[in-house]
Amino acid sequence: MTKEIKFESPSLAQRIKGMLGVDFYRLFHTPLFYIFLAIAAIIPAMVSAMTMMPGPDGNTMKPLYSNVWQIIAASKSLYVIETIADYANMNMVFIFGGIMVSIFIGHDYKSGYVKQLFTTHAKKQDYMISKSLVCAFAIVCMCITYFIGGTVGGLLAGYDTDVNVGSLIIAIVGKMVMSLGWASLYTFLNVIFRRYFGISVASSFFFGTGILIIGAAAIVESIKLPTSFLNVFLYGASVNANLSSGIGALLICVVVSVVWAIIYNVAGTRLLNKCDVY
């Protein structure tokens, strides 16, 4: 009597582990990743250093900031930009991250990797989850290099270093937490525009700049309605992570990031299941 051999299909955790291994290998062997890490460090350092350059009249330019940590996070929650200094903080990482994600995922389609993957690996949700997690990791790494570059630039510019350490930590961690939500959004956008690389990059850049919430907030503010709720839906609670934040702001970032990740992963999976993925 012969025994029937049963082959058990791998669990979700096993499948994701395998895909993460491949995606992390590709990420660490992609020069683009290290280029964007460098960009994330250089940009804030340059913004700080520019305040030390002489202006047209030969005098030193007026500083954008008065404190080292203002290039890391805004002093308070802002839904409408008051000055360029309010905009130039770690939220810029979400712009760099969006462009990097578009190029990283776009290469999957250009190289034929996706066709090969879905021929042997039918679970579209695994692709969405793996890409979201790996890209979130990449954006977190950019937050770290941004912090290093911004801090060094601010110290060299001679800015004041006084800060509420607890709020600073919450601001940094809050923005890192939001990386998961942003990476999920960018992955979803690149699935939508998978055949149009230029549009996928442009859409990621558009959402990363926060133009949507800035415009919507300006309209809502003009008719005297509260603007804080817009941030949750349009900019992922990122502005709540600032230099006056408390633990509640961090919790909001965690909740919003997880909700964004679930929504965009489910939407992306359904799109891939219903459409030609190549």
Side-chain angles (χ1 to χ4, degrees):
M1 181 180 291
T2 59
K3 293 184 178 180
E4 182 179 352
I5 300 176
K6 296 183 179 179
F7 295 95
E8 295 184 0
S9 58
S11 65
L12 174 63
Q14 291 172 325
R15 297 197 310 269
I16 296 299
K17 181 180 179 180
M19 290 198 69
L20 283 174
V22 174
D23 281 335
F24 272 116
Y25 178 87
R26 293 179 64 241
L27 179 70
F28 291 137
H29 288 79
T30 301
L32 175 73
F33 173 56
Y34 302 99
I35 291 172
F36 273 92
L37 289 181
I39 290 174
I42 293 170
I43 294 298
M46 287 180 60
V47 171
S48 294
M50 285 174 62
T51 64
M52 302 172 63
M53 296 172 61
D57 58 356
N59 297 321
T60 302
M61 295 174 61
K62 182 180 179 180
L64 286 175
Y65 312 101
S66 59
N67 188 286
V68 170
W69 313 113
Q70 288 174 330
I71 199 167
I72 307 300
S75 299
K76 59 182 180 179
S77 296
L78 295 169
Y79 304 97
V80 179
I81 291 178
E82 298 173 0
T83 67
I84 188 62
D86 298 328
Y87 188 77
N89 56 52
M90 194 178 282
N91 286 347
M92 288 194 292
V93 168
F94 300 132
I95 303 175
F96 312 146
I99 297 172
M100 196 220 76
V101 172
S102 293
I103 298 173
F104 184 63
I105 295 179
H107 184 262
D108 286 354
Y109 290 91
K110 285 186 175 182
S111 65
Y113 170 72
V114 167
K115 184 176 182 179
Q116 178 184 4
L117 175 66
F118 289 132
T119 299
T120 58
H121 194 105
K123 299 292 185 179
K124 309 300 190 300
Q125 68 174 358
D126 299 354
Y127 178 84
M128 289 295 301
I129 293 173
S130 179
K131 279 294 184 290
S132 295
L133 291 175
V134 170
C135 291
F137 171 82
I139 296 175
V140 167
C141 290
M142 289 184 212
C143 287
I144 294 172
T145 58
Y146 181 100
F147 173 77
I148 295 172
T151 301
V152 171
L155 291 174
L156 291 177
Y159 293 142
D160 181 60
T161 58
D162 289 342
V163 71
N164 182 317
V165 177
S167 293
L168 175 63
I169 293 174
I170 288 174
I172 296 171
V173 174
K175 293 182 188 298
M176 288 182 175
V177 165
M178 280 307 308
S179 296
L180 175 61
W182 282 104
S184 300
L185 168 61
Y186 293 139
T187 301
F188 175 61
L189 290 175
N190 281 274
V191 167
I192 294 176
F193 301 115
R194 58 193 177 278
R195 294 189 180 91
Y196 309 99
F197 176 70
I199 296 178
S200 69
V201 172
S203 64
S204 295
F205 177 83
F206 174 79
F207 280 93
T209 59
I211 292 174
L212 189 59
I213 185 176
I214 294 168
I219 294 172
V220 171
E221 188 178 62
S222 68
I223 55 179
K224 307 303 181 183
L225 291 176
T227 57
S228 58
F229 72 95
L230 289 173
N231 180 52
V232 174
F233 298 102
L234 300 180
Y235 205 63
S238 300
V239 301
N240 286 335
N242 54 68
L243 299 179
S244 59
S245 295
I247 192 66
L250 178 59
L251 293 177
I252 290 174
C253 289
V254 171
V255 171
V256 172
S257 187
V258 171
V259 170
W260 271 32
I262 293 172
I263 291 174
Y264 292 122
N265 273 275
V266 170
T269 299
R270 290 188 175 182
L271 182 62
L272 287 174
N273 283 330
K274 292 182 179 181
C275 302
D276 179 8
V277 298
Y278 306 135

